[in-house]
Amino acid sequence: VTLDKYVFFEEGAGPESSGVVILRSRGSEQFEESTVRQLGHVLVPGETYRLGAWIKTKDFQSTHYGVIVRDTNWRNVERGINELPENTNGWQYFEKDINLAESPDGKYGVTIFAINFSGELHVALPKLQAISPKALAESIVSPELRKSERFRLVPWRPRLNHIPSSRPELSLRNFGMGKTEICRQHDCIINLDARQIQNKPLQVEENMVDLSGVSLGDHEMEVIVRRRHDKELVFTQIFPITIREIPAIDTGGYKRLNNLVIELLNEELNGTEQSLHFDNPREGWIYMTLQNCANSENLNVELAELGTVIDADSKRLEAFRHLGMGRHVIRLKGVRPACKIIVRAISETFNYPACQDSPVPQHGKYDWDFFEKHVFPAVTTLNKGDIPEDKLPEFKARGLRWLANRGTLNPVSAEDLMARFDRSPGLKLEKYDGITCDEQFFLRNDLIYYTEAMWKYEVPKDRLIYTWVNGKPLVPGLHHEFLSACVNVSRGRGRLLFEAYNHAKASEAEAQRYLNSKVLGSMERFSQYFPDATAYTGIILGNFNLISNLTLNTDPEVDPKYYLDMQMNLLANNPAFKDLATVGYWGSSYNDEELFRWSMQLL
C-alpha cells in the first residue's frame, strides 16, 4: 500500500460478507497516488485471463485508475478494469478478459490504484482466472503469498532473550487464515529443554507461556500447535529464550531533554577523588562529558566495568560508551574544583558510510582526519566504508561500533540468505561488530524468506544484525512476524533501520504533510505491528545531494539544511518517537562537505 492514509480495509462490508479495499479521498481534495498491490504470480504472456471484481464508486474521479494485472516493475503491462462510472449506486460486478505482454522477470501482480483521485472506490472479491488451456496449465499463484497466509504463533512480548525473572512469562500472538476455527480444535504445547511444561487449548488472540520456576539463563523453548483428536501438527517452531534478572532503576534524578536524550547525571565536582553513580534506563548508549576541566593534570575518569573512559588526552573531554541497563559507578581523579560531569542516555547515532570520499573530487576528502573532526563527536555507529587498519585500535578504544553491509536482495530461500550471512566479513572479522542487511521491502513477497532466516540463523556471539527496511507493514501475520524476527535476532539486540529518505517539497506545509505521512506514519504503523517498536527501530534520514547522480534536493528553492533540521526536529520532539533506538544518515559520501558537516551537527 502507498499513501495508506487514503487506503482502508473494512472486514465483512462487501458482497457475501467479504472484506473491502477502499480508496477514499477527503472532501474534494485530490491526492497524488494510492495503490494496493499483490505481487509475485507466474502468468503466461499471450494467454487469456479473466479479471473480475465487485466494485462500488461514490463521486469517484481520477486521471488514471484501475483494477489491473501488471508486470513487476510496471513497465510493459497494464491490463484490466479501468473504465468505471462516477457513481455505481451500490455494488456492481465488473469483469474483463485480458491478454498479457511479456514481463521482464516472468512475474505479474494484481493492483488496485488511483492517481489524482477524489471520491471513493470500493473493491471486493477480486478474482483472476486462467481461461486458455496454456494459462490453466502454467500459471502459478505466488508461493510466498500462500506462505504468508499460513497459521503462525509470533513471539510478542517481552523479547525472547529478555524475559524478566520477576515476571517470567511470554506472550505469543496468533495469526493466520481460519485461526478462530483452528483454536476450537487445537492445543498449544510448550516444551522447555525437551520437557513439556504446558498444554492448553489454543487461544484466538494471545497465548501466554508460564515460565515460573525456570532457572536464570538460556533455554530452548519448543512451541507446538496440534489438533486434538488426531494429533496432526499445524505449527511447530523452536525459539532460544533467556530468563534474566532485570535491575531496579532509580529515575528520580532524570531530566528528559527530548525523545532521544535523557540526562542521568549533572554534578559539580569538589576537586578530590570521587565516586559517583548513575542508573542507565536501558541497555544502550551513554554520552559522558567533563566541563571546566581543561588542562587538569592527571585527569582520569573510570567506569568501574570498563576502566578509563576519559583522561587528560581525550579530545573534547567527552566519550560515548555502550552500557548495560542498571547502575554504573564512575571514579574520578585529578579533577579541579568547579569541574562538572554530565552523563546522558542517548539514542544510537548512525552514519553510512565510514571514511569514504565523495565521487566528486571537489567535495574534499572524507578520510580519518575529517571523521575525527566532524563525525566522531556525533556518531556511535558506522556502517560499511573503510576504516584504515592502523586506526582500528584507536577506533575501538573510543568504544564505537562498525557494521559491515550484506546484500540480501532477491533471495530464493531462507537457506540462500543464511549462506550469504556465512560469507559476510561482518560476522567473522574482529574489526566489525556485525552487519546491516541491505535491503527488505514490505511490498515484496520474498520477505517471508528473510523472516525464516532470522529465526533459523545462529548469529555469532556478540555480533549484531540490523535490517534495512523500506515501506510500511500492512499484511497481518506476515509482517508482524517479520518485525518480531528482526527484533529478536542477535539475542534481542536486532534493529530495524527504516529508510526515511525525504525529497524536497515546494512549501513548508507540503513538506510537513509529506514527513507526517512517510516518517511519522511509518513509525505509527511499526508501533501498531509490534509492541514498543520505537525501542528497536532506527529512523535513518537521507542527506545525499550529489546532483545528476543521487540527490534528494530536487527543488532549488528549498534550503536543504533547513529541511534536514525540520526532519530531526520531528524525531526529537514528536511523542511517537520517544526512546527511538537509532537515528542517523545514509549517503554521507554523496554529500558536499557543508551538508555532511551540518548533518553531523544535527546529530
Side-chain angles (χ1 to χ4, degrees):
V1 174
T2 64
L3 284 181
D4 59 287
K5 65 190 298 183
Y6 314 118
V7 179
F8 305 88
F9 179 78
E10 291 187 5
E11 190 170 352
E16 304 175 20
S17 298
S18 62
V20 181
V21 171
I22 303 171
L23 308 188
R24 178 187 292 137
S25 67
R26 298 181 178 181
S28 59
E29 195 173 356
Q30 291 189 330
F31 300 95
E32 184 179 354
E33 178 184 356
S34 290
T35 70
V36 181
R37 309 170 184 178
Q38 183 188 90
L39 305 177
H41 304 298
V42 176
L43 306 178
V44 186
E47 297 302 311
T48 304
Y49 294 84
R50 181 168 297 151
L51 181 64
W54 286 92
I55 295 175
K56 179 169 64 174
T57 60
K58 181 179 179 182
D59 301 326
F60 178 69
Q61 294 183 353
S62 172
T63 58
H64 188 199
Y65 65 91
V67 180
I68 63 165
V69 178
R70 47 105 172 174
D71 61 292
T72 300
N73 296 317
W74 212 328
R75 291 176 180 169
N76 303 325
V77 181
E78 183 181 313
R79 308 281 193 274
I81 301 164
N82 48 23
E83 293 185 5
L84 296 170
E86 185 175 336
N87 288 282
T88 59
N89 299 314
W91 289 104
Q92 292 186 30
Y93 187 73
F94 294 81
E95 69 178 20
K96 190 172 184 179
D97 287 359
I98 58 176
N99 296 92
L100 303 178
E102 293 277 355
S103 175
D105 63 357
K107 294 184 179 180
Y108 299 81
V110 177
T111 297
I112 303 166
F113 78 101
I115 296 173
N116 296 327
F117 77 98
S118 59
E120 298 181 12
L121 170 65
H122 298 233
V123 180
L125 295 172
K127 181 168 63 174
L128 180 66
Q129 289 178 283
I131 301 299
S132 63
K134 190 171 183 179
L136 281 164
E138 298 181 15
S139 300
I140 303 173
V141 173
S142 164
E144 294 88 359
L145 179 65
R146 291 194 182 280
K147 282 191 174 185
S148 74
E149 296 177 343
R150 69 172 173 82
F151 175 86
R152 68 195 74 207
L153 283 177
V154 176
W156 200 242
R157 67 164 41 135
R159 286 169 293 165
L160 291 170
N161 297 103
H162 291 75
I163 301 171
S165 58
S166 60
R167 189 176 179 181
E169 61 182 21
L170 174 70
S171 65
L172 305 170
R173 284 289 303 274
N174 185 348
F175 296 98
M177 301 294 288
K179 65 179 183 179
T180 301
E181 185 63 29
I182 287 175
C183 288
R184 294 194 186 104
Q185 305 173 21
H186 292 74
D187 294 321
C188 180
I189 300 161
I190 306 297
N191 295 328
L192 194 73
D193 300 330
R195 180 177 63 87
Q196 183 174 303
I197 63 168
Q198 188 171 302
N199 186 340
K200 293 182 178 180
L202 186 66
Q203 302 300 304
V204 173
E205 295 298 334
E206 198 164 28
N207 292 266
M208 298 302 300
V209 180
D210 184 358
L211 297 165
S212 300
V214 176
S215 62
L216 293 173
D218 298 334
H219 302 273
E220 188 177 84
M221 183 182 74
E222 183 181 22
V223 180
I224 298 171
V225 176
R226 192 167 63 193
R227 192 156 58 193
R228 203 167 292 125
H229 77 273
D230 62 2
K231 309 303 182 186
E232 180 181 337
L233 288 177
V234 170
F235 174 89
T236 180
Q237 192 161 340
I238 294 175
F239 301 103
I241 68 169
T242 306
I243 309 296
R244 295 172 176 248
E245 285 187 1
I246 306 299
I249 301 296
D250 179 5
T251 63
Y254 285 6
K255 180 181 180 182
R256 180 172 286 279
L257 304 185
N258 58 37
N259 288 332
L260 314 175
V261 183
I262 303 172
E263 192 158 272
L264 311 179
L265 183 67
N266 187 328
E267 188 158 334
E268 191 168 296
L269 305 172
N270 58 25
T272 64
E273 292 188 11
Q274 283 181 260
S275 290
L276 303 170
H277 69 263
F278 64 91
D279 284 10
N280 194 18
R282 59 183 182 266
E283 181 181 350
W285 290 95
I286 62 105
Y287 165 78
M288 181 186 298
T289 186
L290 291 172
Q291 295 182 353
N292 305 321
C293 282
N295 302 317
S296 295
E297 295 182 6
N298 303 316
L299 175 65
N300 190 271
V301 181
E302 293 184 353
L303 281 167
E305 67 270 43
L306 295 179
T308 298
V309 176
I310 298 174
D311 60 24
D313 295 325
S314 297
K315 296 178 175 63
R316 293 172 293 273
L317 299 184
E318 62 183 12
F320 295 120
R321 287 297 185 273
H322 191 275
L323 299 179
M325 180 181 182
R327 179 150 297 183
H328 297 272
V329 176
I330 305 173
R331 300 190 183 99
L332 302 108
K333 299 177 183 177
V335 294
R336 293 179 173 182
C339 283
K340 181 184 286 187
I341 187 167
I342 297 172
V343 181
R344 295 169 178 166
I346 63 169
S347 299
E348 178 181 41
T349 52
F350 183 99
N351 185 70
Y352 176 109
C355 299
Q356 181 172 311
D357 292 344
S358 169
V360 178
Q362 290 81 359
H363 283 177
K365 288 190 172 294
Y366 302 149
D367 54 13
W368 175 268
D369 291 339
F370 178 91
F371 268 63
E372 189 169 59
K373 184 174 182 180
H374 300 293
V375 180
F376 292 148
V379 167
T380 67
T381 305
L382 296 175
N383 187 205
K384 204 177 177 182
D386 185 25
I387 297 175
E389 288 290 334
D390 64 331
K391 297 296 185 180
L392 278 171
E394 184 177 344
F395 177 81
K396 293 295 184 182
R398 294 173 183 266
L400 307 181
R401 285 177 170 171
W402 186 21
L403 305 175
N405 199 51
R406 174 75 268 178
T408 53
L409 283 173
N410 303 317
V412 297
S413 66
E415 288 68 29
D416 171 26
L417 284 166
M418 291 192 289
R420 299 187 203 185
F421 298 156
D422 282 339
R423 296 191 298 269
S424 175
L427 298 178
K428 291 182 177 182
L429 299 185
E430 185 178 352
K431 64 182 180 180
Y432 293 114
D433 296 285
I435 60 173
T436 56
C437 295
D438 190 10
E439 59 193 329
Q440 285 36 259
F441 295 82
F442 283 111
L443 286 176
R444 293 190 181 179
N445 293 332
D446 59 22
L447 200 69
I448 187 74
Y449 300 134
Y450 187 83
T451 303
E452 290 178 9
M454 290 295 97
W455 290 131
K456 291 179 178 180
Y457 191 70
E458 292 188 19
V459 183
K461 187 179 179 181
D462 297 329
R463 295 298 170 109
L464 301 170
I465 292 185
Y466 285 12
T467 300
W468 287 105
V469 65
N470 189 296
K472 300 177 184 179
L474 55 102
V475 181
L478 177 65
H479 292 166
H480 289 90
E481 186 182 18
F482 167 74
L483 294 178
S484 179
C486 293
V487 166
N488 279 292
V489 76
S490 299
R491 298 181 61 82
R493 296 180 300 142
R495 289 278 188 276
L496 293 146
L497 302 180
F498 175 69
E499 300 174 14
Y501 309 153
N502 302 307
H503 287 84
K505 297 299 174 183
S507 70
E508 186 167 356
E510 186 180 349
Q512 193 65 64
R513 286 194 298 269
Y514 172 71
L515 295 177
N516 286 344
S517 175
K518 182 170 183 176
V519 184
L520 175 59
S522 296
M523 190 68 260
E524 290 173 338
R525 181 66 69 83
F526 277 42
S527 296
Q528 292 168 10
Y529 269 67
F530 195 74
D532 306 317
T534 50
Y536 319 115
T537 299
I539 302 296
I540 308 301
L541 303 170
N543 61 353
F544 42 94
N545 70 337
L546 190 62
I547 300 300
S548 81
N549 185 310
L550 191 65
T551 183
L552 295 168
N553 298 349
T554 51
D555 187 329
E557 297 301 316
V558 173
D559 179 350
K561 293 168 71 175
Y562 186 100
Y563 191 34
L564 286 178
D565 192 5
M566 186 176 175
Q567 295 170 42
M568 189 64 74
N569 186 284
L570 175 68
L571 302 183
N573 296 290
N574 189 289
F577 300 100
K578 184 180 178 182
D579 295 325
L580 186 69
T582 303
V583 60
Y585 293 96
W586 186 95
S588 292
S589 62
Y590 297 102
N591 273 171
D592 61 54
E593 185 179 327
E594 183 176 358
L595 203 61
F596 194 166
R597 288 189 283 105
W598 177 250
S599 303
M600 297 303 101
Q601 286 292 311
L602 290 174
L603 286 184

